[in-house]
Amino acid sequence: MADNPLLARHGEALDLFTERVHAIRPDQWDDPTPCTEWTVRDLVNHLAVEQMWVPPLVRDGETIAEQGDSFDGDLLGEDPVAAWEEAAAAAREAFTAPGALERTVGLSFGETPAAEYCAETTIDAAVHAWDLARAIGADERIPKALVDFSVRAVAPYAADLEKSGMFAAAIEPPQGADAQTRLLALLGREA
C-alpha cells in the first residue's frame, strides 16, 4: 500500500476521520456540523455508509441498483464508533485487494474506474474529517499530502460540484490562503 500513492492517501484519510470519530464526546453526537443538514451522528453515518458501499461495488462487482436500499438510513446502531471502524476496515480491505484499483464500478452516474472511486472516497473522508473536527472542537488540520492530493483531484471538476446538490457553492478564499483553506473554499467551506 505504501508504494501506491492513492492507497496511501486513502488510508491516511480513513485514519484521520477515525481519529476525529474517537474524539467525539458522548454529548456531541447530536451537535450541528458545517454540513448544515447533518448532526455529528449524521455525518459519521454518511461516511460509514460510504465505506459500506465499497466492498460490494469493488470486491463483488455489484451495482448500486443491485444493492437497492440496503444502505439507506442510520446504520451506526448502538455503537457508532465500532460501526465506523468496521466500515472503514472493510473499505480499506476492498480497495487494497490485488487488482482492485484496475476494476470498474457501477455508480449511480455510470461505470467508473475503481481508482477514481477510491479518490472520491478519499477526498470525502478528508474534507468531512475537517467538518467533524470543526463540529466537535478537535484539531482541524488535514495533512499536507492529503490536502495536495485532494486539490489536484477536485480542481478539474470543482465548478460542477454545486450542481450535484451535494456541495455548497465554492467561495473565494482569503488572499494568501494556505492550501487547506483553498481546498475548503473550493468545496464551499469557510475555514
PDB file of all heavy atoms in Angstrom, residues 131-155:
ATOM      1  N   ASP A 131     -14.856  18.777   8.710  1.00  0.00           N
ATOM      2  CA  ASP A 131     -16.207  19.112   9.178  1.00  0.00           C
ATOM      3  C   ASP A 131     -16.438  18.582  10.592  1.00  0.00           C
ATOM      4  O   ASP A 131     -16.973  19.282  11.451  1.00  0.00           O
ATOM      5  CB  ASP A 131     -17.272  18.493   8.262  1.00  0.00           C
ATOM      6  CG  ASP A 131     -17.326  19.100   6.876  1.00  0.00           C
ATOM      7  OD1 ASP A 131     -17.044  20.304   6.727  1.00  0.00           O
ATOM      8  OD2 ASP A 131     -17.659  18.358   5.926  1.00  0.00           O
ATOM      9  N   LEU A 132     -16.045  17.334  10.793  1.00  0.00           N
ATOM     10  CA  LEU A 132     -16.248  16.713  12.105  1.00  0.00           C
ATOM     11  C   LEU A 132     -15.397  17.406  13.161  1.00  0.00           C
ATOM     12  O   LEU A 132     -15.878  17.696  14.269  1.00  0.00           O
ATOM     13  CB  LEU A 132     -15.926  15.214  12.023  1.00  0.00           C
ATOM     14  CG  LEU A 132     -16.159  14.400  13.291  1.00  0.00           C
ATOM     15  CD1 LEU A 132     -17.587  14.565  13.814  1.00  0.00           C
ATOM     16  CD2 LEU A 132     -15.851  12.927  13.022  1.00  0.00           C
ATOM     17  N   ALA A 133     -14.146  17.702  12.819  1.00  0.00           N
ATOM     18  CA  ALA A 133     -13.276  18.402  13.766  1.00  0.00           C
ATOM     19  C   ALA A 133     -13.864  19.756  14.149  1.00  0.00           C
ATOM     20  O   ALA A 133     -13.887  20.132  15.323  1.00  0.00           O
ATOM     21  CB  ALA A 133     -11.881  18.577  13.167  1.00  0.00           C
ATOM     22  N   ARG A 134     -14.361  20.491  13.157  1.00  0.00           N
ATOM     23  CA  ARG A 134     -14.970  21.792  13.424  1.00  0.00           C
ATOM     24  C   ARG A 134     -16.170  21.631  14.359  1.00  0.00           C
ATOM     25  O   ARG A 134     -16.383  22.425  15.278  1.00  0.00           O
ATOM     26  CB  ARG A 134     -15.363  22.441  12.090  1.00  0.00           C
ATOM     27  CG  ARG A 134     -16.178  23.705  12.128  1.00  0.00           C
ATOM     28  CD  ARG A 134     -15.505  24.966  12.640  1.00  0.00           C
ATOM     29  NE  ARG A 134     -14.227  25.359  12.131  1.00  0.00           N
ATOM     30  CZ  ARG A 134     -14.001  26.381  11.321  1.00  0.00           C
ATOM     31  NH1 ARG A 134     -15.003  27.094  10.866  1.00  0.00           N
ATOM     32  NH2 ARG A 134     -12.779  26.692  10.960  1.00  0.00           N
ATOM     33  N   ALA A 135     -16.977  20.610  14.131  1.00  0.00           N
ATOM     34  CA  ALA A 135     -18.190  20.397  14.926  1.00  0.00           C
ATOM     35  C   ALA A 135     -17.892  20.048  16.380  1.00  0.00           C
ATOM     36  O   ALA A 135     -18.629  20.452  17.278  1.00  0.00           O
ATOM     37  CB  ALA A 135     -19.042  19.291  14.296  1.00  0.00           C
ATOM     38  N   ILE A 136     -16.808  19.306  16.607  1.00  0.00           N
ATOM     39  CA  ILE A 136     -16.545  18.818  17.975  1.00  0.00           C
ATOM     40  C   ILE A 136     -15.413  19.563  18.672  1.00  0.00           C
ATOM     41  O   ILE A 136     -15.070  19.254  19.811  1.00  0.00           O
ATOM     42  CB  ILE A 136     -16.265  17.300  17.993  1.00  0.00           C
ATOM     43  CG1 ILE A 136     -14.981  16.967  17.232  1.00  0.00           C
ATOM     44  CG2 ILE A 136     -17.463  16.531  17.436  1.00  0.00           C
ATOM     45  CD1 ILE A 136     -14.529  15.520  17.361  1.00  0.00           C
ATOM     46  N   GLY A 137     -14.826  20.543  17.984  1.00  0.00           N
ATOM     47  CA  GLY A 137     -13.749  21.324  18.592  1.00  0.00           C
ATOM     48  C   GLY A 137     -12.420  20.576  18.621  1.00  0.00           C
ATOM     49  O   GLY A 137     -11.607  20.807  19.512  1.00  0.00           O
ATOM     50  N   ALA A 138     -12.167  19.726  17.639  1.00  0.00           N
ATOM     51  CA  ALA A 138     -10.910  18.972  17.564  1.00  0.00           C
ATOM     52  C   ALA A 138      -9.949  19.656  16.593  1.00  0.00           C
ATOM     53  O   ALA A 138     -10.283  20.664  15.962  1.00  0.00           O
ATOM     54  CB  ALA A 138     -11.196  17.543  17.112  1.00  0.00           C
ATOM     55  N   ASP A 139      -8.769  19.108  16.461  1.00  0.00           N
ATOM     56  CA  ASP A 139      -7.743  19.605  15.554  1.00  0.00           C
ATOM     57  C   ASP A 139      -8.296  19.578  14.126  1.00  0.00           C
ATOM     58  O   ASP A 139      -8.713  18.537  13.632  1.00  0.00           O
ATOM     59  CB  ASP A 139      -6.504  18.715  15.673  1.00  0.00           C
ATOM     60  CG  ASP A 139      -5.345  19.181  14.818  1.00  0.00           C
ATOM     61  OD1 ASP A 139      -5.487  20.187  14.081  1.00  0.00           O
ATOM     62  OD2 ASP A 139      -4.289  18.525  14.880  1.00  0.00           O
ATOM     63  N   GLU A 140      -8.292  20.709  13.452  1.00  0.00           N
ATOM     64  CA  GLU A 140      -8.868  20.833  12.111  1.00  0.00           C
ATOM     65  C   GLU A 140      -7.848  20.646  10.991  1.00  0.00           C
ATOM     66  O   GLU A 140      -8.211  20.688   9.817  1.00  0.00           O
ATOM     67  CB  GLU A 140      -9.552  22.200  11.957  1.00  0.00           C
ATOM     68  CG  GLU A 140     -10.735  22.372  12.863  1.00  0.00           C
ATOM     69  CD  GLU A 140     -11.400  23.734  12.734  1.00  0.00           C
ATOM     70  OE1 GLU A 140     -11.042  24.512  11.816  1.00  0.00           O
ATOM     71  OE2 GLU A 140     -12.293  24.023  13.554  1.00  0.00           O
ATOM     72  N   ARG A 141      -6.605  20.406  11.323  1.00  0.00           N
ATOM     73  CA  ARG A 141      -5.588  20.270  10.283  1.00  0.00           C
ATOM     74  C   ARG A 141      -5.765  18.974   9.497  1.00  0.00           C
ATOM     75  O   ARG A 141      -6.004  17.916  10.055  1.00  0.00           O
ATOM     76  CB  ARG A 141      -4.194  20.299  10.890  1.00  0.00           C
ATOM     77  CG  ARG A 141      -3.778  21.697  11.330  1.00  0.00           C
ATOM     78  CD  ARG A 141      -2.467  21.660  12.030  1.00  0.00           C
ATOM     79  NE  ARG A 141      -2.696  20.870  13.267  1.00  0.00           N
ATOM     80  CZ  ARG A 141      -1.749  20.516  14.100  1.00  0.00           C
ATOM     81  NH1 ARG A 141      -0.502  20.833  13.871  1.00  0.00           N
ATOM     82  NH2 ARG A 141      -2.030  19.826  15.187  1.00  0.00           N
ATOM     83  N   ILE A 142      -5.617  19.100   8.193  1.00  0.00           N
ATOM     84  CA  ILE A 142      -5.589  17.955   7.288  1.00  0.00           C
ATOM     85  C   ILE A 142      -4.136  17.833   6.827  1.00  0.00           C
ATOM     86  O   ILE A 142      -3.536  18.843   6.440  1.00  0.00           O
ATOM     87  CB  ILE A 142      -6.515  18.182   6.068  1.00  0.00           C
ATOM     88  CG1 ILE A 142      -7.957  18.423   6.522  1.00  0.00           C
ATOM     89  CG2 ILE A 142      -6.441  16.991   5.105  1.00  0.00           C
ATOM     90  CD1 ILE A 142      -8.896  18.879   5.400  1.00  0.00           C
ATOM     91  N   PRO A 143      -3.545  16.639   6.870  1.00  0.00           N
ATOM     92  CA  PRO A 143      -2.145  16.500   6.458  1.00  0.00           C
ATOM     93  C   PRO A 143      -1.904  17.050   5.050  1.00  0.00           C
ATOM     94  O   PRO A 143      -2.734  16.903   4.155  1.00  0.00           O
ATOM     95  CB  PRO A 143      -1.905  14.990   6.504  1.00  0.00           C
ATOM     96  CG  PRO A 143      -2.894  14.486   7.517  1.00  0.00           C
ATOM     97  CD  PRO A 143      -4.106  15.369   7.350  1.00  0.00           C
ATOM     98  N   LYS A 144      -0.746  17.683   4.868  1.00  0.00           N
ATOM     99  CA  LYS A 144      -0.410  18.353   3.615  1.00  0.00           C
ATOM    100  C   LYS A 144      -0.537  17.430   2.400  1.00  0.00           C
ATOM    101  O   LYS A 144      -1.092  17.829   1.378  1.00  0.00           O
ATOM    102  CB  LYS A 144       0.996  18.947   3.694  1.00  0.00           C
ATOM    103  CG  LYS A 144       1.393  19.695   2.422  1.00  0.00           C
ATOM    104  CD  LYS A 144       2.782  20.278   2.529  1.00  0.00           C
ATOM    105  CE  LYS A 144       3.265  21.026   1.318  1.00  0.00           C
ATOM    106  NZ  LYS A 144       2.557  20.948   0.091  1.00  0.00           N
ATOM    107  N   ALA A 145      -0.035  16.220   2.493  1.00  0.00           N
ATOM    108  CA  ALA A 145      -0.105  15.306   1.342  1.00  0.00           C
ATOM    109  C   ALA A 145      -1.553  15.031   0.956  1.00  0.00           C
ATOM    110  O   ALA A 145      -1.886  14.915  -0.221  1.00  0.00           O
ATOM    111  CB  ALA A 145       0.629  14.001   1.648  1.00  0.00           C
ATOM    112  N   LEU A 146      -2.421  14.954   1.945  1.00  0.00           N
ATOM    113  CA  LEU A 146      -3.838  14.704   1.699  1.00  0.00           C
ATOM    114  C   LEU A 146      -4.522  15.940   1.106  1.00  0.00           C
ATOM    115  O   LEU A 146      -5.355  15.826   0.199  1.00  0.00           O
ATOM    116  CB  LEU A 146      -4.505  14.276   3.009  1.00  0.00           C
ATOM    117  CG  LEU A 146      -5.829  13.571   2.954  1.00  0.00           C
ATOM    118  CD1 LEU A 146      -5.844  12.423   1.950  1.00  0.00           C
ATOM    119  CD2 LEU A 146      -6.186  13.042   4.343  1.00  0.00           C
ATOM    120  N   VAL A 147      -4.156  17.112   1.580  1.00  0.00           N
ATOM    121  CA  VAL A 147      -4.682  18.362   1.021  1.00  0.00           C
ATOM    122  C   VAL A 147      -4.239  18.503  -0.430  1.00  0.00           C
ATOM    123  O   VAL A 147      -5.062  18.768  -1.321  1.00  0.00           O
ATOM    124  CB  VAL A 147      -4.220  19.589   1.846  1.00  0.00           C
ATOM    125  CG1 VAL A 147      -4.528  20.887   1.104  1.00  0.00           C
ATOM    126  CG2 VAL A 147      -4.870  19.587   3.219  1.00  0.00           C
ATOM    127  N   ASP A 148      -2.958  18.303  -0.681  1.00  0.00           N
ATOM    128  CA  ASP A 148      -2.435  18.449  -2.041  1.00  0.00           C
ATOM    129  C   ASP A 148      -3.106  17.458  -2.996  1.00  0.00           C
ATOM    130  O   ASP A 148      -3.497  17.824  -4.106  1.00  0.00           O
ATOM    131  CB  ASP A 148      -0.922  18.261  -2.063  1.00  0.00           C
ATOM    132  CG  ASP A 148      -0.177  19.385  -1.344  1.00  0.00           C
ATOM    133  OD1 ASP A 148      -0.789  20.439  -1.067  1.00  0.00           O
ATOM    134  OD2 ASP A 148       1.011  19.192  -1.031  1.00  0.00           O
ATOM    135  N   PHE A 149      -3.251  16.220  -2.565  1.00  0.00           N
ATOM    136  CA  PHE A 149      -3.923  15.200  -3.370  1.00  0.00           C
ATOM    137  C   PHE A 149      -5.361  15.638  -3.680  1.00  0.00           C
ATOM    138  O   PHE A 149      -5.816  15.555  -4.813  1.00  0.00           O
ATOM    139  CB  PHE A 149      -3.939  13.858  -2.625  1.00  0.00           C
ATOM    140  CG  PHE A 149      -4.851  12.840  -3.231  1.00  0.00           C
ATOM    141  CD1 PHE A 149      -4.427  12.052  -4.295  1.00  0.00           C
ATOM    142  CD2 PHE A 149      -6.146  12.673  -2.758  1.00  0.00           C
ATOM    143  CE1 PHE A 149      -5.278  11.122  -4.882  1.00  0.00           C
ATOM    144  CE2 PHE A 149      -7.002  11.745  -3.329  1.00  0.00           C
ATOM    145  CZ  PHE A 149      -6.566  10.968  -4.394  1.00  0.00           C
ATOM    146  N   SER A 150      -6.066  16.108  -2.664  1.00  0.00           N
ATOM    147  CA  SER A 150      -7.472  16.489  -2.821  1.00  0.00           C
ATOM    148  C   SER A 150      -7.633  17.672  -3.762  1.00  0.00           C
ATOM    149  O   SER A 150      -8.533  17.682  -4.605  1.00  0.00           O
ATOM    150  CB  SER A 150      -8.097  16.794  -1.457  1.00  0.00           C
ATOM    151  OG  SER A 150      -8.053  15.645  -0.625  1.00  0.00           O
ATOM    152  N   VAL A 151      -6.774  18.660  -3.645  1.00  0.00           N
ATOM    153  CA  VAL A 151      -6.843  19.827  -4.530  1.00  0.00           C
ATOM    154  C   VAL A 151      -6.628  19.393  -5.978  1.00  0.00           C
ATOM    155  O   VAL A 151      -7.385  19.777  -6.871  1.00  0.00           O
ATOM    156  CB  VAL A 151      -5.819  20.909  -4.120  1.00  0.00           C
ATOM    157  CG1 VAL A 151      -5.688  21.976  -5.194  1.00  0.00           C
ATOM    158  CG2 VAL A 151      -6.219  21.540  -2.794  1.00  0.00           C
ATOM    159  N   ARG A 152      -5.606  18.573  -6.209  1.00  0.00           N
ATOM    160  CA  ARG A 152      -5.333  18.103  -7.581  1.00  0.00           C
ATOM    161  C   ARG A 152      -6.505  17.304  -8.143  1.00  0.00           C
ATOM    162  O   ARG A 152      -6.866  17.437  -9.305  1.00  0.00           O
ATOM    163  CB  ARG A 152      -4.075  17.232  -7.609  1.00  0.00           C
ATOM    164  CG  ARG A 152      -2.781  17.996  -7.623  1.00  0.00           C
ATOM    165  CD  ARG A 152      -1.592  17.108  -7.928  1.00  0.00           C
ATOM    166  NE  ARG A 152      -1.515  15.891  -7.133  1.00  0.00           N
ATOM    167  CZ  ARG A 152      -0.955  15.792  -5.926  1.00  0.00           C
ATOM    168  NH1 ARG A 152      -0.425  16.871  -5.378  1.00  0.00           N
ATOM    169  NH2 ARG A 152      -0.924  14.650  -5.290  1.00  0.00           N
ATOM    170  N   ALA A 153      -7.124  16.480  -7.304  1.00  0.00           N
ATOM    171  CA  ALA A 153      -8.212  15.620  -7.769  1.00  0.00           C
ATOM    172  C   ALA A 153      -9.512  16.399  -7.989  1.00  0.00           C
ATOM    173  O   ALA A 153     -10.261  16.092  -8.915  1.00  0.00           O
ATOM    174  CB  ALA A 153      -8.437  14.489  -6.774  1.00  0.00           C
ATOM    175  N   VAL A 154      -9.795  17.386  -7.152  1.00  0.00           N
ATOM    176  CA  VAL A 154     -11.063  18.116  -7.212  1.00  0.00           C
ATOM    177  C   VAL A 154     -11.041  19.251  -8.235  1.00  0.00           C
ATOM    178  O   VAL A 154     -12.056  19.523  -8.880  1.00  0.00           O
ATOM    179  CB  VAL A 154     -11.425  18.679  -5.817  1.00  0.00           C
ATOM    180  CG1 VAL A 154     -12.557  19.684  -5.900  1.00  0.00           C
ATOM    181  CG2 VAL A 154     -11.789  17.565  -4.870  1.00  0.00           C
ATOM    182  N   ALA A 155      -9.920  19.893  -8.408  1.00  0.00           N
ATOM    183  CA  ALA A 155      -9.849  21.097  -9.246  1.00  0.00           C
ATOM    184  C   ALA A 155     -10.482  20.937 -10.631  1.00  0.00           C
ATOM    185  O   ALA A 155     -11.225  21.827 -11.062  1.00  0.00           O
ATOM    186  CB  ALA A 155      -8.409  21.575  -9.355  1.00  0.00           C
TER     187      ALA A 155
END
